[in-house]
Amino acid sequence: MHATPGHFMLEPAYDPNSGTGTGRDAIGLGRASGPGLDVRHGTLLTLEDINVSFDGFKALRDLTLYIGVGELRCIIGPNGAGKTTLMDVITGKTRPDSGQAFFGESLDLTEMSEVQIAQAGIGRKFQKPTVFEALSVFENLELAQNADKSVWASLRARLSGEQRERIEDVLTTIKLDASRQRPAGLLSHGQKQFLEIGMLLVQDPQLLLLDEPVAGMTDAETEFTAELFKGLAGKHSLMVVEHDMGFVGSIADHVTVLHQGHVLAEGSLEQVQADERVIEVYLGR
Amino acid sequence: MNQPLALTAAQKAGPRLTLAALGAVLAILVALPLLSLLPADNPLQVSAYTLTLVGKILCYAIVALALDLVWGYAGLLSLGHGLFFALGGYAMGMYLMRQTAGDGLPAFMGFLAWTELPWYWYGTSSFLWSMCLVVLAPGLLALVFGFFAFRSRIKGVYFSIMTQALTFAGMLLFFRNETGFGGNNGFTGFSTLLGFGITAPGTRAVLFLATVALLVISLALGWGLARSKFGRVLTALRDAENRLMFCGYDPRGYKLFVWVLSAVLCGLAGALYVPQVGIINPSEMAPTQSIEAAVWVALGGRGTLIGPLLGAGIVNGMKSWFTVAFPEYWLFFLGALFIIVTLFLPKGVIGLLRRKGEQ
């Protein structure tokens, strides 16, 4: 959906072809998803030589990571390895000191604002489940849904039958059908986790970043989440940060181990677990 | 089975009751100015004092509603809405002063030995242009302030402090005679509005009706916004701004829109307040005035539309009684009221009524 001129917005939609500074500080305010993403070489996310430091502390050191289209990648690593910082860099919350971050072939993430990055098709789930507590489950999904998100569009927005159907589908998928009218603040921890996953589903991003998605879930819920993610991979790319090795083993075909802001090892879970350096980091010698 | 049925019945009765109460209040508000036109010896006649008092409270109610739009829905606590109210009032006051002065300069400029109108007074003899100023002055100030504040992601208590500082700065500026708005005396001694005597019963009645109309329009506007997706985005913004950004919404445009709308509503309320009360001076910009407005909203129940109106009515009704009966204790009482509401009525009077209704 494209905004027509005259809509209330202050920020031009991110146009990689314009070449002029529609950077982070250009004020003004947006619209729905940008131009079709160019993923000619099958790589959805490219991070090269990323460095981030906070007051001299190096959170990420020369980090290089590629995520392919439709891939399900798990990121593991001990505390302080830089997993959350990595997500912050991808979503524009933290700017790298140096290095390149590209979404598709042409979108430079270091030049885009958080909102533009979200509109370009990167969704994020936080470590602590964050939903809009005062709104009902249905309304949470309605807001997250992929649509024109400018002020003007919101003032006159009506749900189309198709959009309503999509929300209904997701409600069924995340098993919150019966609670659709409940305020999200009254849901249990596990239900909030699912609602947030559902919000990512209706947002329909090409890349989903999930920070500890099964924290606080029961075994049955964890198993269900694993099935859900496996179903998503292929159509979407997923990057999952998780401590639960059982969960990682059940979903991942490819695992990256971070240690002190650097990629320590990459490969299948078995390969990684057999790696001397990984054992050293995890068990300590 | 019984309980859900009973619940739905209560939910259906709730809005109907609210609507009936609203209708009754509206009928009284329309009847008041008409009754004021009756001859003085008629037992049903409403005095000019009562009409002015109620008109004044209605103007405050509009301010409360406007403040609630930004505080209750978007979570931006403004402690400077008195400034927007006063700016609208001053814009109207400029026109009234020009009406009084005729072809000459407003009297206070004579005292300053000014021989020429300052540039910003040009055109104020036209009612239409003055009405534009009523909207533009608070609207543009809110736009510029909001643009920078929201761009810098200022929120929470920092935002409140900045708005408080803004209204304080405005007050200091308007206190100066050189600013050209009558210094600490402000504007008063108005004679006519559009050629009609400003204290004439007919003029008072029409001004009162205009205030009622503005209140109804503001209420309808607020209702429409609260029910739209825009309103839900505002609520989401209040509760989890970061989440909203990662959903692809830019909070700045949303905040700016509701912020400017709120300021303009305040300005319009101020413009109706001045001819009814007969005076505007910089004390309307005093920080305490804006804080009091926040008390109205908190008392009535923020995040609801009727709550702030109730709050403004209750506090100001009490104020006009208290300041006559026990003038020295009013501020203590106001403080106590605020503490009681914070401790025992987190959802305000409206929350209390709803709880009663559910029982």
Side-chain angles (χ1 to χ4, degrees):
Chain A
M1 213 190 285
H2 288 259
T4 50
H7 277 193
F8 185 88
M9 54 181 171
L10 302 170
E11 186 167 12
Y14 186 77
D15 179 4
N17 304 319
S18 73
T20 52
T22 42
R24 169 184 177 70
D25 292 322
I27 187 147
L29 321 200
R31 60 153 209 198
S33 55
L37 201 62
D38 175 10
V39 286
R40 267 173 300 182
H41 303 293
T43 310
L44 187 66
L45 182 73
T46 309
L47 300 175
E48 281 172 349
D49 302 323
I50 298 280
N51 280 289
V52 174
S53 58
F54 301 113
D55 296 327
F57 169 71
K58 287 223 148 205
L60 295 179
R61 291 182 298 129
D62 296 329
L63 182 129
T64 300
L65 184 74
Y66 304 95
I67 295 202
V69 174
E71 187 184 345
L72 199 170
R73 174 77 62 94
C74 279
I75 310 275
I76 59 174
N79 282 330
K83 296 173 304 229
T84 302
T85 309
L86 173 62
M87 293 213 168
D88 286 347
V89 166
I90 298 171
T91 52
K93 204 173 170 205
T94 301
R95 297 286 152 188
D97 302 330
S98 63
Q100 291 186 320
F102 278 93
F103 186 45
E105 294 293 318
S106 52
L107 293 183
D108 185 352
L109 295 175
T110 60
E111 291 286 313
M112 294 160 74
S113 75
E114 286 141 293
V115 174
Q116 287 170 335
I117 291 174
Q119 289 174 351
I122 297 184
R124 177 177 188 179
K125 191 200 156 305
F126 290 90
Q127 199 164 348
K128 180 174 166 281
T130 30
V131 293
F132 307 126
E133 308 226 325
L135 300 176
S136 73
V137 169
F138 188 92
E139 288 167 340
N140 266 275
L141 294 173
E142 180 207 356
L143 287 197
Q145 192 162 40
N146 196 2
D148 189 344
K149 286 170 176 172
S150 66
V151 172
W152 199 244
S154 296
L155 281 170
R156 21 192 307 158
R158 290 278 174 278
L159 277 181
S160 70
E162 196 183 320
Q163 288 173 318
R164 193 171 286 277
E165 240 166 65
R166 176 84 185 114
I167 294 178
E168 296 292 340
D169 284 350
V170 170
L171 273 173
T172 315
T173 311
I174 58 175
K175 297 180 177 167
L176 284 173
D177 238 334
S179 325
R180 65 175 66 204
Q181 294 305 335
R182 286 188 89 189
L186 298 179
L187 297 180
S188 74
H189 183 83
Q191 286 175 317
K192 280 185 194 168
Q193 296 272 40
F194 278 117
L195 176 56
E196 204 178 354
I197 292 169
M199 287 164 73
L200 283 181
L201 294 182
V202 287
Q203 195 180 336
D204 202 24
Q206 274 160 299
L207 175 64
L208 284 90
L209 308 178
L210 301 134
D211 205 347
E212 302 198 18
V214 295
M217 280 191 182
T218 64
D219 288 350
E221 285 171 336
T222 304
E223 209 172 291
F224 173 60
T225 310
E227 287 305 311
L228 198 61
F229 287 0
K230 278 193 267 183
L232 287 175
K235 279 178 287 177
H236 309 263
S237 301
L238 283 83
M239 187 174 132
V240 182
V241 166
E242 191 50 70
H243 284 302
D244 184 336
M245 283 301 166
F247 179 71
V248 171
S250 67
I251 59 167
D253 37 40
H254 213 68
V255 177
T256 298
V257 185
L258 282 193
H259 178 55
Q260 291 179 349
H262 199 74
V263 175
L264 190 67
E266 224 168 54
S268 72
L269 188 62
E270 291 76 37
Q271 282 173 343
V272 161
Q273 276 175 329
D275 191 303
E276 282 291 315
R277 289 169 305 167
V278 176
I279 296 169
E280 191 176 333
V281 165
Y282 264 93
L283 300 177
R285 279 239 182 116
Chain B
M1 266 316 273
N2 275 337
Q3 207 193 354
L5 274 180
L7 262 178
T8 9
Q11 275 164 355
K12 275 186 184 161
R16 218 176 291 163
L17 203 69
T18 317
L19 272 184
L22 274 182
V25 170
L26 188 62
I28 294 173
L29 288 179
V30 173
L32 271 180
L34 301 178
L35 292 176
S36 77
L37 296 176
L38 291 172
D41 54 353
N42 191 310
L44 284 177
Q45 202 256 352
V46 171
S47 69
Y49 170 78
T50 314
L51 194 70
T52 311
L53 180 67
V54 178
K56 192 170 112 177
I57 294 178
L58 288 182
C59 291
Y60 287 150
I62 297 166
V63 174
L65 184 68
L67 181 59
D68 186 45
L69 281 182
V70 291
W71 186 26
Y73 286 92
L76 299 161
L77 170 56
S78 163
L79 294 177
H81 260 45
L83 178 61
F84 303 128
F85 180 76
L87 283 179
Y90 267 102
M92 178 59 125
M94 284 161 96
Y95 166 75
L96 293 172
M97 291 302 271
R98 293 290 294 275
Q99 282 264 299
T100 312
D103 291 333
L105 291 182
F108 72 89
M109 291 188 188
F111 293 126
L112 293 172
W114 289 4
T115 52
E116 218 180 314
L117 278 174
W119 60 267
Y120 44 83
W121 276 79
Y122 283 113
T124 47
S125 56
S126 144
F127 182 73
L128 263 183
W129 173 240
S130 298
M131 286 301 100
C132 292
L133 278 181
V134 163
V135 172
L136 287 176
L140 285 178
L141 180 68
L143 187 72
V144 171
F145 176 83
F147 180 87
F148 288 107
F150 302 144
R151 191 180 71 155
S152 312
R153 301 194 184 175
I154 293 166
K155 27 186 160 179
V157 71
Y158 303 100
F159 182 78
S160 304
I161 292 171
M162 276 180 63
T163 53
Q164 177 95 104
L166 187 71
T167 192
F168 191 63
M171 181 180 76
L172 295 182
L173 183 70
F174 275 64
F175 260 132
R176 292 164 53 89
N177 282 326
E178 295 83 353
T179 314
F181 293 102
N184 59 349
N185 294 320
F187 300 153
T188 190
F190 310 130
S191 60
T192 57
L193 173 65
L194 288 170
F196 299 101
I198 201 138
T199 52
T203 316
R204 280 187 192 281
V206 169
L207 281 170
F208 187 94
L209 284 176
T211 314
V212 175
L214 180 63
L215 183 64
V216 171
I217 291 169
S218 314
L219 204 54
L221 206 65
W223 193 74
L225 279 184
R227 284 179 57 91
S228 71
K229 184 180 171 195
F230 180 86
R232 292 191 282 281
V233 174
L234 284 189
T235 312
L237 181 71
R238 180 189 70 191
D239 294 342
E241 182 168 343
N242 264 325
R243 190 80 197 82
L244 194 69
M245 282 169 59
F246 289 118
C247 282
Y249 291 90
D250 196 323
R252 293 172 293 185
Y254 285 85
K255 286 181 181 174
L256 204 55
F257 183 89
V258 75
W259 175 249
V260 172
L261 176 73
S262 174
V264 167
L265 282 180
C266 279
L268 289 169
L272 284 166
Y273 172 89
V274 168
Q276 294 189 75
V277 176
I279 183 166
I280 175 79
N281 61 38
S283 69
E284 292 295 340
M285 298 179 188
T288 48
Q289 296 286 337
S290 300
I291 294 172
E292 212 181 302
V295 177
W296 304 335
V297 178
L299 178 87
R302 65 199 175 98
T304 66
L305 291 169
I306 306 294
L309 309 185
L310 274 181
I314 293 171
V315 176
N316 286 296
M318 279 185 180
K319 186 182 188 175
S320 53
W321 175 71
F322 244 93
T323 44
V324 174
F326 315 99
E328 59 271 47
Y329 296 114
W330 164 246
L331 284 176
F332 291 105
F333 182 75
L334 185 68
L337 201 63
F338 194 46
I339 293 170
I340 290 169
V341 167
T342 316
L343 287 180
F344 301 110
L345 295 174
K347 288 179 178 165
V349 173
I350 211 89
L352 188 73
L353 291 178
R354 276 193 189 152
R355 214 160 43 194
K356 282 262 153 67
E358 278 165 21
Q359 285 169 2

